[in-house]
Amino acid sequence: MRKLDQKEARNLFEEVLGRRISDASWYRLKPIFGDDFPLIKQNITWLAEVKKQLPKCDLRLVPVVNSVKVANQLIASQESEISGKELLELFDQHKITIHPNTLTKWFRPLNGFRKTRIYESKELYPIILAAHTYKLRKEINKVTQSTLKVS
């Protein structure tokens, strides 16, 4: 695959994202791209899609990017349809505990959550992504809280 120059990459990112990003945001995003994550069309598109799904997420954090990759793998490995109960079991397998109110909030666009309801994998993508980043944020908060208590 052909590496893109900075101008092409930024234009593609903004096109997929659906809005312009500031010079400062692009400057902070550029260091993500290196030998293991080259500046190619596929990576730019993927990163813009992640930013569209998680607008407040700092993409420079490696655990966030890894979390998104895990969510993508989960969606790819699942059948085209999954029940609510199977989704909860999937979260348990990955040690993701979600408060019921949070789950309700995430499922609002899908007209609520039911264990017996069958969902399409593609409509669950934002929820699985949110669950993984939710777990990550909780872990980061635990580490931050423990370092504050030690100080």
Side-chain angles (χ1 to χ4, degrees):
M1 294 209 156
R2 181 179 78 83
K3 274 187 147 183
L4 303 173
D5 68 11
Q6 292 294 323
K7 186 171 175 68
E8 287 176 316
R10 182 174 176 172
N11 288 339
L12 177 62
F13 186 88
E14 291 175 342
E15 182 182 316
V16 173
L17 187 60
R19 63 179 171 84
R20 190 178 183 296
I21 63 168
S22 69
D23 293 339
S25 294
W26 181 250
Y27 178 79
R28 286 191 299 268
L29 200 59
K30 284 192 315 187
I32 292 174
F33 302 102
D35 294 335
D36 56 336
F37 195 69
L39 195 62
I40 58 175
K41 186 176 182 176
Q42 179 184 359
N43 290 345
I44 297 287
T45 304
W46 181 79
L47 208 57
E49 289 292 334
V50 169
K51 190 64 173 174
K52 197 186 297 185
Q53 291 287 334
L54 302 168
K56 304 260 187 240
C57 178
D58 187 353
L59 296 175
R60 296 174 294 167
L61 299 174
V62 173
V64 171
V65 175
N66 289 338
S67 179
V68 172
K69 287 180 183 177
V70 169
N72 286 337
Q73 291 167 352
L74 279 174
I75 289 293
S77 69
Q78 293 299 319
E79 304 91 41
S80 62
E81 295 180 338
I82 183 171
S83 73
K85 183 179 179 183
E86 291 171 332
L87 181 67
L88 292 178
E89 290 170 0
L90 189 67
F91 289 157
D92 283 342
Q93 289 172 4
H94 290 273
K95 296 179 178 68
I96 300 172
T97 54
I98 302 168
H99 192 276
N101 292 345
T102 304
L103 201 60
T104 300
K105 182 176 74 174
W106 288 346
F107 273 88
R108 224 174 259 145
L110 301 177
N111 298 321
F113 175 74
R114 298 282 178 265
K115 285 184 180 180
T116 56
R117 184 172 164 204
I118 303 296
Y119 300 94
E120 288 186 34
S121 292
K122 64 180 180 179
E123 66 183 351
L124 290 178
Y125 177 74
I127 294 163
I128 291 174
L129 190 58
H132 278 277
T133 55
Y134 177 81
K135 176 186 175 189
L136 180 65
R137 282 193 312 270
K138 282 176 57 177
E139 289 172 356
I140 289 171
N141 284 341
K142 282 181 188 175
V143 170
T144 305
Q145 294 298 323
S146 65
T147 56
L148 290 175
K149 288 178 183 176
V150 172
S151 298

